[in-house]
Amino acid sequence: MHDSMFHRMPRWSRIRAGKTRTTAHFPSASATVLTILVTACTVGVLGPGPAAADPVRLPGTVDIPCAGGTLNQSADWYLPSGQPRGLVWVQHGFARSNDNVAALAETLSTAGYLVFAPSLPFLNLDGCTLQNLGSNTPFLDHIADLFATAADPTGVLAQSLAAAATHAGRPIPEMPGLLAFIGHSAGAEAVEYVAHRLHSTYPTTWQNLRGLVLLDPVKSFLGDNTDRALTDLDATDLPVLAVSGPPSLCNNFGSGTTALQTLLHRPFLGVRLPAGEHTDAEGTSSDALGELLCGVPQAGNVDAVQRLTTGWTDDFFTGARTTGYYPDDVRAPGLVCAMPGAQPLPAT
């Protein structure tokens, strides 16, 4: 984590040119204000919860229709230690895999959620891809179908979970009815579009969708999936929150965040980490290629991403607004106390 993410305390003495003397270095007004605000933030910010049992990862697969055939894709399930609080779909980014979101999936499972983390193609001649390279909307429509039929024991999603649990010699968990979607990079566009599809086509499942978290979202170079989805979601009360990094090549110079700020008219859209890396969402699950191309995850940023993602997801399911995860205009105007170095994202 860069030093800029933390306030610095003033120094009150130093040694100069062999002479020792005390010199008063008073902090600037802006530094004093920041220190006061950060101090105010410490009141009411939630710390780590009680230790929970390690989540259980169940490797498996999921069958997704593609053009005239079916793709059998890798799909990991993460089981919480007790009754699941809800089902959370965690989607990796462009040219990545479910292995690269394992750390985030484990964090959410530890918080009590049943997590579904599939690997989706980034190249496919039939257009069955995570990002839009021409027209991937029929493929994403089939992803929406997975969630629309999740409650059906004979549905594809339930069958995927049952097969993974059986292969691991574990009881088959009950599929939760309530949902939340979390997407990183191009995966953020995918979860936006699938949420839009549920809203337009599956009203019952739509009522069970509690919110979206977008992690450094990226728009596809082709198509209008992001714009179409956000324009539709703008007319709803579905919570949509983002943790973004600064504009860079890996996030298409902030294209997904700009679209969010332009098309979704909400008082709070999430935060930007000024020194963030595109790989922060992957954390310890990133790899050499991701770090070479898109930066090395920074520990402080990774903690912020996981803390905010989990905190917001908790609030999606409970309907609460937990102090510390949103701007506190009373005690610390302009700051999100769970991450005082983050910049709230305003709508444009």
Side-chain angles (χ1 to χ4, degrees), residues 88-114:
V88 177
W89 169 30
V90 176
Q91 187 54 57
H92 64 75
F94 175 76
R96 310 300 279 159
S97 76
N98 49 9
D99 287 341
N100 299 122
V101 291
L104 180 60
E106 289 173 357
T107 298
L108 288 159
S109 184
T110 299
Y113 299 102
L114 175 65

PDB file of all heavy atoms in Angstrom, residues 88-114:
ATOM      1  N   VAL A  88     -23.783 -15.796  -3.964  1.00  0.00           N
ATOM      2  CA  VAL A  88     -23.012 -14.713  -4.557  1.00  0.00           C
ATOM      3  C   VAL A  88     -22.261 -15.243  -5.774  1.00  0.00           C
ATOM      4  O   VAL A  88     -21.490 -16.207  -5.663  1.00  0.00           O
ATOM      5  CB  VAL A  88     -22.016 -14.109  -3.540  1.00  0.00           C
ATOM      6  CG1 VAL A  88     -21.167 -13.032  -4.210  1.00  0.00           C
ATOM      7  CG2 VAL A  88     -22.766 -13.521  -2.346  1.00  0.00           C
ATOM      8  N   TRP A  89     -22.509 -14.624  -6.909  1.00  0.00           N
ATOM      9  CA  TRP A  89     -21.766 -14.927  -8.132  1.00  0.00           C
ATOM     10  C   TRP A  89     -20.555 -14.004  -8.205  1.00  0.00           C
ATOM     11  O   TRP A  89     -20.712 -12.788  -8.200  1.00  0.00           O
ATOM     12  CB  TRP A  89     -22.672 -14.727  -9.338  1.00  0.00           C
ATOM     13  CG  TRP A  89     -21.986 -14.754 -10.687  1.00  0.00           C
ATOM     14  CD1 TRP A  89     -20.866 -15.439 -11.042  1.00  0.00           C
ATOM     15  CD2 TRP A  89     -22.420 -14.056 -11.867  1.00  0.00           C
ATOM     16  NE1 TRP A  89     -20.562 -15.216 -12.370  1.00  0.00           N
ATOM     17  CE2 TRP A  89     -21.505 -14.377 -12.897  1.00  0.00           C
ATOM     18  CE3 TRP A  89     -23.505 -13.209 -12.154  1.00  0.00           C
ATOM     19  CZ2 TRP A  89     -21.632 -13.856 -14.193  1.00  0.00           C
ATOM     20  CZ3 TRP A  89     -23.638 -12.700 -13.431  1.00  0.00           C
ATOM     21  CH2 TRP A  89     -22.706 -13.025 -14.436  1.00  0.00           C
ATOM     22  N   VAL A  90     -19.358 -14.577  -8.266  1.00  0.00           N
ATOM     23  CA  VAL A  90     -18.120 -13.805  -8.404  1.00  0.00           C
ATOM     24  C   VAL A  90     -17.528 -14.101  -9.781  1.00  0.00           C
ATOM     25  O   VAL A  90     -17.164 -15.246 -10.072  1.00  0.00           O
ATOM     26  CB  VAL A  90     -17.108 -14.158  -7.297  1.00  0.00           C
ATOM     27  CG1 VAL A  90     -15.793 -13.421  -7.521  1.00  0.00           C
ATOM     28  CG2 VAL A  90     -17.681 -13.805  -5.926  1.00  0.00           C
ATOM     29  N   GLN A  91     -17.422 -13.062 -10.619  1.00  0.00           N
ATOM     30  CA  GLN A  91     -16.962 -13.248 -11.991  1.00  0.00           C
ATOM     31  C   GLN A  91     -15.606 -12.582 -12.229  1.00  0.00           C
ATOM     32  O   GLN A  91     -15.437 -11.398 -11.989  1.00  0.00           O
ATOM     33  CB  GLN A  91     -17.987 -12.693 -12.977  1.00  0.00           C
ATOM     34  CG  GLN A  91     -17.652 -13.010 -14.420  1.00  0.00           C
ATOM     35  CD  GLN A  91     -17.436 -14.512 -14.630  1.00  0.00           C
ATOM     36  OE1 GLN A  91     -18.327 -15.306 -14.337  1.00  0.00           O
ATOM     37  NE2 GLN A  91     -16.249 -14.892 -15.094  1.00  0.00           N
ATOM     38  N   HIS A  92     -14.662 -13.377 -12.718  1.00  0.00           N
ATOM     39  CA  HIS A  92     -13.319 -12.870 -13.022  1.00  0.00           C
ATOM     40  C   HIS A  92     -13.354 -11.932 -14.228  1.00  0.00           C
ATOM     41  O   HIS A  92     -14.381 -11.747 -14.886  1.00  0.00           O
ATOM     42  CB  HIS A  92     -12.376 -14.041 -13.294  1.00  0.00           C
ATOM     43  CG  HIS A  92     -12.751 -14.851 -14.512  1.00  0.00           C
ATOM     44  ND1 HIS A  92     -12.533 -14.423 -15.806  1.00  0.00           N
ATOM     45  CD2 HIS A  92     -13.359 -16.061 -14.632  1.00  0.00           C
ATOM     46  CE1 HIS A  92     -12.957 -15.335 -16.662  1.00  0.00           C
ATOM     47  NE2 HIS A  92     -13.482 -16.333 -15.978  1.00  0.00           N
ATOM     48  N   GLY A  93     -12.191 -11.377 -14.561  1.00  0.00           N
ATOM     49  CA  GLY A  93     -12.087 -10.431 -15.663  1.00  0.00           C
ATOM     50  C   GLY A  93     -11.549 -11.045 -16.941  1.00  0.00           C
ATOM     51  O   GLY A  93     -11.398 -12.270 -17.065  1.00  0.00           O
ATOM     52  N   PHE A  94     -11.248 -10.167 -17.896  1.00  0.00           N
ATOM     53  CA  PHE A  94     -10.812 -10.551 -19.236  1.00  0.00           C
ATOM     54  C   PHE A  94      -9.537 -11.396 -19.193  1.00  0.00           C
ATOM     55  O   PHE A  94      -8.561 -11.032 -18.536  1.00  0.00           O
ATOM     56  CB  PHE A  94     -10.561  -9.291 -20.066  1.00  0.00           C
ATOM     57  CG  PHE A  94      -9.985  -9.551 -21.428  1.00  0.00           C
ATOM     58  CD1 PHE A  94     -10.784 -10.031 -22.453  1.00  0.00           C
ATOM     59  CD2 PHE A  94      -8.641  -9.328 -21.680  1.00  0.00           C
ATOM     60  CE1 PHE A  94     -10.253 -10.273 -23.721  1.00  0.00           C
ATOM     61  CE2 PHE A  94      -8.097  -9.563 -22.937  1.00  0.00           C
ATOM     62  CZ  PHE A  94      -8.904 -10.038 -23.961  1.00  0.00           C
ATOM     63  N   ALA A  95      -9.579 -12.522 -19.889  1.00  0.00           N
ATOM     64  CA  ALA A  95      -8.428 -13.420 -20.027  1.00  0.00           C
ATOM     65  C   ALA A  95      -7.928 -13.940 -18.677  1.00  0.00           C
ATOM     66  O   ALA A  95      -6.759 -14.282 -18.529  1.00  0.00           O
ATOM     67  CB  ALA A  95      -7.287 -12.738 -20.779  1.00  0.00           C
ATOM     68  N   ARG A  96      -8.839 -14.011 -17.710  1.00  0.00           N
ATOM     69  CA  ARG A  96      -8.496 -14.534 -16.387  1.00  0.00           C
ATOM     70  C   ARG A  96      -9.335 -15.793 -16.154  1.00  0.00           C
ATOM     71  O   ARG A  96     -10.053 -16.260 -17.032  1.00  0.00           O
ATOM     72  CB  ARG A  96      -8.754 -13.490 -15.297  1.00  0.00           C
ATOM     73  CG  ARG A  96      -8.143 -12.136 -15.582  1.00  0.00           C
ATOM     74  CD  ARG A  96      -6.646 -12.207 -15.735  1.00  0.00           C
ATOM     75  NE  ARG A  96      -5.976 -12.231 -14.449  1.00  0.00           N
ATOM     76  CZ  ARG A  96      -4.727 -12.692 -14.265  1.00  0.00           C
ATOM     77  NH1 ARG A  96      -4.050 -13.207 -15.271  1.00  0.00           N
ATOM     78  NH2 ARG A  96      -4.175 -12.655 -13.075  1.00  0.00           N
ATOM     79  N   SER A  97      -9.263 -16.340 -14.961  1.00  0.00           N
ATOM     80  CA  SER A  97     -10.025 -17.547 -14.649  1.00  0.00           C
ATOM     81  C   SER A  97     -10.548 -17.472 -13.221  1.00  0.00           C
ATOM     82  O   SER A  97     -10.216 -16.541 -12.471  1.00  0.00           O
ATOM     83  CB  SER A  97      -9.155 -18.795 -14.819  1.00  0.00           C
ATOM     84  OG  SER A  97      -8.249 -18.919 -13.727  1.00  0.00           O
ATOM     85  N   ASN A  98     -11.342 -18.477 -12.858  1.00  0.00           N
ATOM     86  CA  ASN A  98     -11.869 -18.485 -11.494  1.00  0.00           C
ATOM     87  C   ASN A  98     -10.765 -18.614 -10.448  1.00  0.00           C
ATOM     88  O   ASN A  98     -10.945 -18.213  -9.296  1.00  0.00           O
ATOM     89  CB  ASN A  98     -12.930 -19.568 -11.313  1.00  0.00           C
ATOM     90  CG  ASN A  98     -12.501 -20.924 -11.840  1.00  0.00           C
ATOM     91  OD1 ASN A  98     -11.342 -21.136 -12.210  1.00  0.00           O
ATOM     92  ND2 ASN A  98     -13.440 -21.864 -11.878  1.00  0.00           N
ATOM     93  N   ASP A  99      -9.611 -19.153 -10.827  1.00  0.00           N
ATOM     94  CA  ASP A  99      -8.489 -19.207  -9.887  1.00  0.00           C
ATOM     95  C   ASP A  99      -8.068 -17.817  -9.434  1.00  0.00           C
ATOM     96  O   ASP A  99      -7.574 -17.643  -8.313  1.00  0.00           O
ATOM     97  CB  ASP A  99      -7.281 -19.902 -10.519  1.00  0.00           C
ATOM     98  CG  ASP A  99      -7.461 -21.407 -10.658  1.00  0.00           C
ATOM     99  OD1 ASP A  99      -8.340 -21.968  -9.966  1.00  0.00           O
ATOM    100  OD2 ASP A  99      -6.730 -22.020 -11.453  1.00  0.00           O
ATOM    101  N   ASN A 100      -8.249 -16.821 -10.305  1.00  0.00           N
ATOM    102  CA  ASN A 100      -7.785 -15.470  -9.990  1.00  0.00           C
ATOM    103  C   ASN A 100      -8.721 -14.690  -9.076  1.00  0.00           C
ATOM    104  O   ASN A 100      -8.379 -13.575  -8.661  1.00  0.00           O
ATOM    105  CB  ASN A 100      -7.556 -14.682 -11.280  1.00  0.00           C
ATOM    106  CG  ASN A 100      -6.503 -15.300 -12.172  1.00  0.00           C
ATOM    107  OD1 ASN A 100      -6.766 -15.636 -13.324  1.00  0.00           O
ATOM    108  ND2 ASN A 100      -5.302 -15.497 -11.656  1.00  0.00           N
ATOM    109  N   VAL A 101      -9.893 -15.243  -8.779  1.00  0.00           N
ATOM    110  CA  VAL A 101     -10.784 -14.596  -7.808  1.00  0.00           C
ATOM    111  C   VAL A 101     -10.995 -15.487  -6.585  1.00  0.00           C
ATOM    112  O   VAL A 101     -11.904 -15.256  -5.792  1.00  0.00           O
ATOM    113  CB  VAL A 101     -12.141 -14.214  -8.439  1.00  0.00           C
ATOM    114  CG1 VAL A 101     -11.966 -13.090  -9.443  1.00  0.00           C
ATOM    115  CG2 VAL A 101     -12.824 -15.416  -9.077  1.00  0.00           C
ATOM    116  N   ALA A 102     -10.120 -16.473  -6.420  1.00  0.00           N
ATOM    117  CA  ALA A 102     -10.279 -17.419  -5.306  1.00  0.00           C
ATOM    118  C   ALA A 102     -10.191 -16.716  -3.951  1.00  0.00           C
ATOM    119  O   ALA A 102     -10.964 -17.026  -3.040  1.00  0.00           O
ATOM    120  CB  ALA A 102      -9.231 -18.523  -5.406  1.00  0.00           C
ATOM    121  N   ALA A 103      -9.258 -15.788  -3.803  1.00  0.00           N
ATOM    122  CA  ALA A 103      -9.094 -15.120  -2.506  1.00  0.00           C
ATOM    123  C   ALA A 103     -10.349 -14.326  -2.147  1.00  0.00           C
ATOM    124  O   ALA A 103     -10.807 -14.341  -0.996  1.00  0.00           O
ATOM    125  CB  ALA A 103      -7.872 -14.203  -2.532  1.00  0.00           C
ATOM    126  N   LEU A 104     -10.920 -13.627  -3.117  1.00  0.00           N
ATOM    127  CA  LEU A 104     -12.140 -12.868  -2.871  1.00  0.00           C
ATOM    128  C   LEU A 104     -13.302 -13.809  -2.577  1.00  0.00           C
ATOM    129  O   LEU A 104     -14.106 -13.564  -1.666  1.00  0.00           O
ATOM    130  CB  LEU A 104     -12.459 -11.993  -4.076  1.00  0.00           C
ATOM    131  CG  LEU A 104     -13.721 -11.133  -3.974  1.00  0.00           C
ATOM    132  CD1 LEU A 104     -13.639 -10.177  -2.795  1.00  0.00           C
ATOM    133  CD2 LEU A 104     -13.946 -10.368  -5.279  1.00  0.00           C
ATOM    134  N   ALA A 105     -13.394 -14.906  -3.328  1.00  0.00           N
ATOM    135  CA  ALA A 105     -14.465 -15.881  -3.097  1.00  0.00           C
ATOM    136  C   ALA A 105     -14.363 -16.477  -1.703  1.00  0.00           C
ATOM    137  O   ALA A 105     -15.381 -16.667  -1.015  1.00  0.00           O
ATOM    138  CB  ALA A 105     -14.403 -16.976  -4.159  1.00  0.00           C
ATOM    139  N   GLU A 106     -13.157 -16.787  -1.268  1.00  0.00           N
ATOM    140  CA  GLU A 106     -12.967 -17.335   0.077  1.00  0.00           C
ATOM    141  C   GLU A 106     -13.387 -16.326   1.141  1.00  0.00           C
ATOM    142  O   GLU A 106     -14.001 -16.694   2.152  1.00  0.00           O
ATOM    143  CB  GLU A 106     -11.506 -17.732   0.270  1.00  0.00           C
ATOM    144  CG  GLU A 106     -11.098 -18.961  -0.539  1.00  0.00           C
ATOM    145  CD  GLU A 106      -9.603 -19.232  -0.472  1.00  0.00           C
ATOM    146  OE1 GLU A 106      -8.877 -18.423   0.151  1.00  0.00           O
ATOM    147  OE2 GLU A 106      -9.159 -20.244  -1.051  1.00  0.00           O
ATOM    148  N   THR A 107     -13.055 -15.058   0.922  1.00  0.00           N
ATOM    149  CA  THR A 107     -13.435 -14.013   1.873  1.00  0.00           C
ATOM    150  C   THR A 107     -14.953 -13.936   2.017  1.00  0.00           C
ATOM    151  O   THR A 107     -15.490 -13.845   3.124  1.00  0.00           O
ATOM    152  CB  THR A 107     -12.878 -12.656   1.420  1.00  0.00           C
ATOM    153  OG1 THR A 107     -11.448 -12.717   1.386  1.00  0.00           O
ATOM    154  CG2 THR A 107     -13.299 -11.542   2.368  1.00  0.00           C
ATOM    155  N   LEU A 108     -15.643 -13.978   0.902  1.00  0.00           N
ATOM    156  CA  LEU A 108     -17.113 -13.903   0.935  1.00  0.00           C
ATOM    157  C   LEU A 108     -17.729 -15.155   1.538  1.00  0.00           C
ATOM    158  O   LEU A 108     -18.715 -15.085   2.275  1.00  0.00           O
ATOM    159  CB  LEU A 108     -17.634 -13.688  -0.485  1.00  0.00           C
ATOM    160  CG  LEU A 108     -17.365 -12.292  -1.054  1.00  0.00           C
ATOM    161  CD1 LEU A 108     -17.423 -12.314  -2.573  1.00  0.00           C
ATOM    162  CD2 LEU A 108     -18.366 -11.286  -0.488  1.00  0.00           C
ATOM    163  N   SER A 109     -17.137 -16.305   1.254  1.00  0.00           N
ATOM    164  CA  SER A 109     -17.646 -17.540   1.838  1.00  0.00           C
ATOM    165  C   SER A 109     -17.438 -17.549   3.353  1.00  0.00           C
ATOM    166  O   SER A 109     -18.308 -17.993   4.107  1.00  0.00           O
ATOM    167  CB  SER A 109     -16.958 -18.742   1.189  1.00  0.00           C
ATOM    168  OG  SER A 109     -17.489 -19.948   1.675  1.00  0.00           O
ATOM    169  N   THR A 110     -16.290 -17.042   3.793  1.00  0.00           N
ATOM    170  CA  THR A 110     -16.033 -16.937   5.233  1.00  0.00           C
ATOM    171  C   THR A 110     -17.076 -16.038   5.905  1.00  0.00           C
ATOM    172  O   THR A 110     -17.429 -16.246   7.062  1.00  0.00           O
ATOM    173  CB  THR A 110     -14.622 -16.396   5.478  1.00  0.00           C
ATOM    174  OG1 THR A 110     -13.666 -17.298   4.904  1.00  0.00           O
ATOM    175  CG2 THR A 110     -14.324 -16.243   6.961  1.00  0.00           C
ATOM    176  N   ALA A 111     -17.573 -15.047   5.151  1.00  0.00           N
ATOM    177  CA  ALA A 111     -18.599 -14.146   5.686  1.00  0.00           C
ATOM    178  C   ALA A 111     -19.987 -14.779   5.680  1.00  0.00           C
ATOM    179  O   ALA A 111     -20.955 -14.139   6.109  1.00  0.00           O
ATOM    180  CB  ALA A 111     -18.614 -12.852   4.884  1.00  0.00           C
ATOM    181  N   GLY A 112     -20.105 -16.007   5.159  1.00  0.00           N
ATOM    182  CA  GLY A 112     -21.364 -16.719   5.273  1.00  0.00           C
ATOM    183  C   GLY A 112     -22.111 -16.959   3.976  1.00  0.00           C
ATOM    184  O   GLY A 112     -23.265 -17.410   4.003  1.00  0.00           O
ATOM    185  N   TYR A 113     -21.468 -16.698   2.820  1.00  0.00           N
ATOM    186  CA  TYR A 113     -22.175 -16.817   1.550  1.00  0.00           C
ATOM    187  C   TYR A 113     -21.757 -18.074   0.785  1.00  0.00           C
ATOM    188  O   TYR A 113     -20.601 -18.493   0.844  1.00  0.00           O
ATOM    189  CB  TYR A 113     -21.915 -15.580   0.687  1.00  0.00           C
ATOM    190  CG  TYR A 113     -22.405 -14.324   1.358  1.00  0.00           C
ATOM    191  CD1 TYR A 113     -21.517 -13.451   1.986  1.00  0.00           C
ATOM    192  CD2 TYR A 113     -23.762 -14.035   1.419  1.00  0.00           C
ATOM    193  CE1 TYR A 113     -21.963 -12.317   2.636  1.00  0.00           C
ATOM    194  CE2 TYR A 113     -24.226 -12.904   2.069  1.00  0.00           C
ATOM    195  CZ  TYR A 113     -23.324 -12.049   2.686  1.00  0.00           C
ATOM    196  OH  TYR A 113     -23.781 -10.944   3.337  1.00  0.00           O
ATOM    197  N   LEU A 114     -22.715 -18.643   0.067  1.00  0.00           N
ATOM    198  CA  LEU A 114     -22.414 -19.679  -0.919  1.00  0.00           C
ATOM    199  C   LEU A 114     -21.957 -18.952  -2.175  1.00  0.00           C
ATOM    200  O   LEU A 114     -22.697 -18.139  -2.731  1.00  0.00           O
ATOM    201  CB  LEU A 114     -23.652 -20.516  -1.208  1.00  0.00           C
ATOM    202  CG  LEU A 114     -23.517 -21.574  -2.310  1.00  0.00           C
ATOM    203  CD1 LEU A 114     -22.523 -22.667  -1.921  1.00  0.00           C
ATOM    204  CD2 LEU A 114     -24.881 -22.190  -2.637  1.00  0.00           C
TER     205      LEU A 114
END
